[in-house]
PDB file of all heavy atoms in Angstrom:
ATOM      1  N   GLN B  57      22.873 -13.946  26.192  1.00  0.00           N
ATOM      2  CA  GLN B  57      22.990 -15.382  25.881  1.00  0.00           C
ATOM      3  C   GLN B  57      24.421 -15.876  25.926  1.00  0.00           C
ATOM      4  O   GLN B  57      24.699 -16.910  26.509  1.00  0.00           O
ATOM      5  CB  GLN B  57      22.408 -15.649  24.480  1.00  0.00           C
ATOM      6  CG  GLN B  57      20.897 -15.449  24.438  1.00  0.00           C
ATOM      7  CD  GLN B  57      20.350 -15.711  23.037  1.00  0.00           C
ATOM      8  OE1 GLN B  57      20.956 -16.396  22.216  1.00  0.00           O
ATOM      9  NE2 GLN B  57      19.187 -15.171  22.763  1.00  0.00           N
ATOM     10  N   HIS B  58      25.342 -15.155  25.284  1.00  0.00           N
ATOM     11  CA  HIS B  58      26.702 -15.649  25.197  1.00  0.00           C
ATOM     12  C   HIS B  58      27.605 -15.093  26.287  1.00  0.00           C
ATOM     13  O   HIS B  58      28.416 -15.823  26.863  1.00  0.00           O
ATOM     14  CB  HIS B  58      27.262 -15.313  23.809  1.00  0.00           C
ATOM     15  CG  HIS B  58      26.432 -15.855  22.699  1.00  0.00           C
ATOM     16  ND1 HIS B  58      26.180 -17.183  22.537  1.00  0.00           N
ATOM     17  CD2 HIS B  58      25.710 -15.201  21.734  1.00  0.00           C
ATOM     18  CE1 HIS B  58      25.379 -17.360  21.495  1.00  0.00           C
ATOM     19  NE2 HIS B  58      25.064 -16.176  20.993  1.00  0.00           N
ATOM     20  N   GLY B  59      27.445 -13.797  26.593  1.00  0.00           N
ATOM     21  CA  GLY B  59      28.278 -13.199  27.649  1.00  0.00           C
ATOM     22  C   GLY B  59      27.878 -13.726  29.022  1.00  0.00           C
ATOM     23  O   GLY B  59      28.697 -14.329  29.738  1.00  0.00           O
ATOM     24  N   ASN B  60      26.621 -13.540  29.355  1.00  0.00           N
ATOM     25  CA  ASN B  60      26.165 -13.887  30.728  1.00  0.00           C
ATOM     26  C   ASN B  60      25.538 -15.275  30.800  1.00  0.00           C
ATOM     27  O   ASN B  60      25.038 -15.670  31.866  1.00  0.00           O
ATOM     28  CB  ASN B  60      25.134 -12.853  31.220  1.00  0.00           C
ATOM     29  CG  ASN B  60      25.807 -11.515  31.486  1.00  0.00           C
ATOM     30  OD1 ASN B  60      27.036 -11.415  31.553  1.00  0.00           O
ATOM     31  ND2 ASN B  60      25.013 -10.474  31.648  1.00  0.00           N
ATOM     32  N   ALA B  61      25.541 -16.015  29.682  1.00  0.00           N
ATOM     33  CA  ALA B  61      25.021 -17.399  29.656  1.00  0.00           C
ATOM     34  C   ALA B  61      23.629 -17.519  30.269  1.00  0.00           C
ATOM     35  O   ALA B  61      23.335 -18.472  30.986  1.00  0.00           O
ATOM     36  CB  ALA B  61      26.007 -18.349  30.364  1.00  0.00           C
ATOM     37  N   ASN B  62      22.780 -16.520  30.000  1.00  0.00           N
ATOM     38  CA  ASN B  62      21.376 -16.501  30.473  1.00  0.00           C
ATOM     39  C   ASN B  62      21.248 -16.579  32.005  1.00  0.00           C
ATOM     40  O   ASN B  62      20.207 -16.991  32.508  1.00  0.00           O
ATOM     41  CB  ASN B  62      20.583 -17.639  29.824  1.00  0.00           C
ATOM     42  CG  ASN B  62      20.386 -17.439  28.347  1.00  0.00           C
ATOM     43  OD1 ASN B  62      19.852 -16.410  27.924  1.00  0.00           O
ATOM     44  ND2 ASN B  62      20.830 -18.382  27.524  1.00  0.00           N
ATOM     45  N   ASP B  63      22.314 -16.177  32.709  1.00  0.00           N
ATOM     46  CA  ASP B  63      22.270 -16.169  34.165  1.00  0.00           C
ATOM     47  C   ASP B  63      21.622 -14.851  34.612  1.00  0.00           C
ATOM     48  O   ASP B  63      22.242 -13.769  34.513  1.00  0.00           O
ATOM     49  CB  ASP B  63      23.709 -16.278  34.714  1.00  0.00           C
ATOM     50  CG  ASP B  63      23.740 -16.281  36.251  1.00  0.00           C
ATOM     51  OD1 ASP B  63      22.720 -15.961  36.872  1.00  0.00           O
ATOM     52  OD2 ASP B  63      24.823 -16.604  36.779  1.00  0.00           O
ATOM     53  N   ALA B  64      20.379 -14.935  35.110  1.00  0.00           N
ATOM     54  CA  ALA B  64      19.605 -13.742  35.430  1.00  0.00           C
ATOM     55  C   ALA B  64      20.241 -12.900  36.549  1.00  0.00           C
ATOM     56  O   ALA B  64      19.911 -11.734  36.722  1.00  0.00           O
ATOM     57  CB  ALA B  64      18.172 -14.118  35.805  1.00  0.00           C
ATOM     58  N   ARG B  65      21.193 -13.504  37.308  1.00  0.00           N
ATOM     59  CA  ARG B  65      21.846 -12.746  38.362  1.00  0.00           C
ATOM     60  C   ARG B  65      22.903 -11.793  37.774  1.00  0.00           C
ATOM     61  O   ARG B  65      23.314 -10.848  38.417  1.00  0.00           O
ATOM     62  CB  ARG B  65      22.529 -13.703  39.351  1.00  0.00           C
ATOM     63  CG  ARG B  65      21.538 -14.526  40.158  1.00  0.00           C
ATOM     64  CD  ARG B  65      22.249 -15.639  40.877  1.00  0.00           C
ATOM     65  NE  ARG B  65      22.934 -16.514  39.917  1.00  0.00           N
ATOM     66  CZ  ARG B  65      23.652 -17.582  40.232  1.00  0.00           C
ATOM     67  NH1 ARG B  65      23.827 -17.898  41.495  1.00  0.00           N
ATOM     68  NH2 ARG B  65      24.225 -18.321  39.310  1.00  0.00           N
ATOM     69  N   LYS B  66      23.312 -12.091  36.551  1.00  0.00           N
ATOM     70  CA  LYS B  66      24.311 -11.221  35.885  1.00  0.00           C
ATOM     71  C   LYS B  66      23.570 -10.130  35.096  1.00  0.00           C
ATOM     72  O   LYS B  66      22.526 -10.413  34.488  1.00  0.00           O
ATOM     73  CB  LYS B  66      25.227 -12.041  34.987  1.00  0.00           C
ATOM     74  CG  LYS B  66      26.124 -12.994  35.779  1.00  0.00           C
ATOM     75  CD  LYS B  66      27.088 -13.707  34.866  1.00  0.00           C
ATOM     76  CE  LYS B  66      28.045 -14.552  35.687  1.00  0.00           C
ATOM     77  NZ  LYS B  66      28.932 -15.328  34.845  1.00  0.00           N
ATOM     78  N   ARG B  67      24.167  -8.973  35.065  1.00  0.00           N
ATOM     79  CA  ARG B  67      23.502  -7.834  34.454  1.00  0.00           C
ATOM     80  C   ARG B  67      24.130  -7.441  33.116  1.00  0.00           C
ATOM     81  O   ARG B  67      25.300  -7.775  32.839  1.00  0.00           O
ATOM     82  CB  ARG B  67      23.546  -6.632  35.404  1.00  0.00           C
ATOM     83  CG  ARG B  67      22.806  -6.876  36.717  1.00  0.00           C
ATOM     84  CD  ARG B  67      23.155  -5.820  37.719  1.00  0.00           C
ATOM     85  NE  ARG B  67      24.604  -5.775  37.958  1.00  0.00           N
ATOM     86  CZ  ARG B  67      25.233  -4.868  38.670  1.00  0.00           C
ATOM     87  NH1 ARG B  67      24.545  -3.897  39.233  1.00  0.00           N
ATOM     88  NH2 ARG B  67      26.537  -4.900  38.844  1.00  0.00           N
ATOM     89  N   VAL B  68      23.356  -6.733  32.347  1.00  0.00           N
ATOM     90  CA  VAL B  68      23.847  -6.131  31.107  1.00  0.00           C
ATOM     91  C   VAL B  68      23.666  -4.621  31.257  1.00  0.00           C
ATOM     92  O   VAL B  68      22.609  -4.150  31.625  1.00  0.00           O
ATOM     93  CB  VAL B  68      23.045  -6.637  29.887  1.00  0.00           C
ATOM     94  CG1 VAL B  68      23.510  -5.909  28.634  1.00  0.00           C
ATOM     95  CG2 VAL B  68      23.195  -8.162  29.722  1.00  0.00           C
ATOM     96  N   THR B  69      24.756  -3.913  31.003  1.00  0.00           N
ATOM     97  CA  THR B  69      24.708  -2.440  31.101  1.00  0.00           C
ATOM     98  C   THR B  69      24.749  -1.804  29.706  1.00  0.00           C
ATOM     99  O   THR B  69      25.641  -2.133  28.907  1.00  0.00           O
ATOM    100  CB  THR B  69      25.912  -1.918  31.930  1.00  0.00           C
ATOM    101  OG1 THR B  69      25.871  -2.535  33.222  1.00  0.00           O
ATOM    102  CG2 THR B  69      25.863  -0.392  32.079  1.00  0.00           C
ATOM    103  N   VAL B  70      23.795  -0.957  29.454  1.00  0.00           N
ATOM    104  CA  VAL B  70      23.739  -0.262  28.159  1.00  0.00           C
ATOM    105  C   VAL B  70      23.967   1.215  28.414  1.00  0.00           C
ATOM    106  O   VAL B  70      23.253   1.831  29.231  1.00  0.00           O
ATOM    107  CB  VAL B  70      22.329  -0.476  27.505  1.00  0.00           C
ATOM    108  CG1 VAL B  70      22.255   0.330  26.202  1.00  0.00           C
ATOM    109  CG2 VAL B  70      22.046  -1.945  27.291  1.00  0.00           C
ATOM    110  N   VAL B  71      24.961   1.788  27.716  1.00  0.00           N
ATOM    111  CA  VAL B  71      25.193   3.234  27.808  1.00  0.00           C
ATOM    112  C   VAL B  71      25.094   3.842  26.411  1.00  0.00           C
ATOM    113  O   VAL B  71      25.682   3.292  25.478  1.00  0.00           O
ATOM    114  CB  VAL B  71      26.597   3.513  28.399  1.00  0.00           C
ATOM    115  CG1 VAL B  71      26.858   5.003  28.423  1.00  0.00           C
ATOM    116  CG2 VAL B  71      26.695   2.942  29.830  1.00  0.00           C
ATOM    117  N   LEU B  72      24.354   4.899  26.310  1.00  0.00           N
ATOM    118  CA  LEU B  72      24.218   5.627  25.047  1.00  0.00           C
ATOM    119  C   LEU B  72      24.924   6.963  25.196  1.00  0.00           C
ATOM    120  O   LEU B  72      24.695   7.654  26.190  1.00  0.00           O
ATOM    121  CB  LEU B  72      22.757   5.890  24.698  1.00  0.00           C
ATOM    122  CG  LEU B  72      21.808   4.665  24.746  1.00  0.00           C
ATOM    123  CD1 LEU B  72      20.363   5.111  24.476  1.00  0.00           C
ATOM    124  CD2 LEU B  72      22.241   3.616  23.723  1.00  0.00           C
ATOM    125  N   ARG B  73      25.804   7.288  24.274  1.00  0.00           N
ATOM    126  CA  ARG B  73      26.491   8.577  24.328  1.00  0.00           C
ATOM    127  C   ARG B  73      26.364   9.297  23.002  1.00  0.00           C
ATOM    128  O   ARG B  73      26.605   8.695  21.959  1.00  0.00           O
ATOM    129  CB  ARG B  73      28.004   8.365  24.577  1.00  0.00           C
ATOM    130  CG  ARG B  73      28.330   7.704  25.893  1.00  0.00           C
ATOM    131  CD  ARG B  73      29.872   7.592  26.059  1.00  0.00           C
ATOM    132  NE  ARG B  73      30.185   6.683  27.126  1.00  0.00           N
ATOM    133  CZ  ARG B  73      30.198   7.020  28.431  1.00  0.00           C
ATOM    134  NH1 ARG B  73      29.903   8.243  28.775  1.00  0.00           N
ATOM    135  NH2 ARG B  73      30.514   6.093  29.332  1.00  0.00           N
ATOM    136  N   ARG B  74      25.984  10.566  23.061  1.00  0.00           N
ATOM    137  CA  ARG B  74      25.939  11.311  21.811  1.00  0.00           C
ATOM    138  C   ARG B  74      27.257  12.073  21.667  1.00  0.00           C
ATOM    139  O   ARG B  74      27.839  12.527  22.671  1.00  0.00           O
ATOM    140  CB  ARG B  74      24.763  12.256  21.726  1.00  0.00           C
ATOM    141  CG  ARG B  74      24.381  12.991  22.934  1.00  0.00           C
ATOM    142  CD  ARG B  74      23.222  13.919  22.721  1.00  0.00           C
ATOM    143  NE  ARG B  74      21.960  13.241  23.037  1.00  0.00           N
ATOM    144  CZ  ARG B  74      20.798  13.661  22.545  1.00  0.00           C
ATOM    145  NH1 ARG B  74      20.724  14.652  21.733  1.00  0.00           N
ATOM    146  NH2 ARG B  74      19.696  13.022  22.887  1.00  0.00           N
ATOM    147  N   PHE B  75      27.726  12.157  20.456  1.00  0.00           N
ATOM    148  CA  PHE B  75      28.904  12.987  20.187  1.00  0.00           C
ATOM    149  C   PHE B  75      28.579  13.807  18.922  1.00  0.00           C
ATOM    150  O   PHE B  75      27.491  13.677  18.345  1.00  0.00           O
ATOM    151  CB  PHE B  75      30.163  12.136  20.049  1.00  0.00           C
ATOM    152  CG  PHE B  75      30.154  11.143  18.921  1.00  0.00           C
ATOM    153  CD1 PHE B  75      30.825  11.434  17.718  1.00  0.00           C
ATOM    154  CD2 PHE B  75      29.504   9.932  19.015  1.00  0.00           C
ATOM    155  CE1 PHE B  75      30.840  10.522  16.660  1.00  0.00           C
ATOM    156  CE2 PHE B  75      29.486   9.021  17.953  1.00  0.00           C
ATOM    157  CZ  PHE B  75      30.178   9.321  16.775  1.00  0.00           C
ATOM    158  N   GLU B  76      29.539  14.627  18.535  1.00  0.00           N
ATOM    159  CA  GLU B  76      29.263  15.615  17.494  1.00  0.00           C
ATOM    160  C   GLU B  76      28.694  14.978  16.239  1.00  0.00           C
ATOM    161  O   GLU B  76      27.771  15.522  15.623  1.00  0.00           O
ATOM    162  CB  GLU B  76      30.562  16.383  17.165  1.00  0.00           C
ATOM    163  CG  GLU B  76      30.335  17.579  16.298  1.00  0.00           C
ATOM    164  CD  GLU B  76      31.631  18.308  16.023  1.00  0.00           C
ATOM    165  OE1 GLU B  76      32.684  17.900  16.554  1.00  0.00           O
ATOM    166  OE2 GLU B  76      31.571  19.293  15.261  1.00  0.00           O
ATOM    167  N   ASP B  77      29.248  13.836  15.852  1.00  0.00           N
ATOM    168  CA  ASP B  77      28.861  13.240  14.557  1.00  0.00           C
ATOM    169  C   ASP B  77      27.808  12.162  14.670  1.00  0.00           C
ATOM    170  O   ASP B  77      27.403  11.590  13.651  1.00  0.00           O
ATOM    171  CB  ASP B  77      30.105  12.617  13.884  1.00  0.00           C
ATOM    172  CG  ASP B  77      31.140  13.646  13.575  1.00  0.00           C
ATOM    173  OD1 ASP B  77      30.777  14.793  13.316  1.00  0.00           O
ATOM    174  OD2 ASP B  77      32.335  13.319  13.618  1.00  0.00           O
TER     175      ASP B  77
END
Side-chain angles (χ1 to χ4, degrees):
Chain B
Q57 292 179 21
H58 304 299
N60 290 347
N62 291 304
D63 181 347
R65 292 168 301 180
K66 293 184 175 177
R67 297 166 303 171
V68 176
T69 302
V70 177
V71 176
L72 309 176
R73 296 182 195 279
R74 40 179 92 201
F75 62 101
E76 191 179 358
D77 298 328

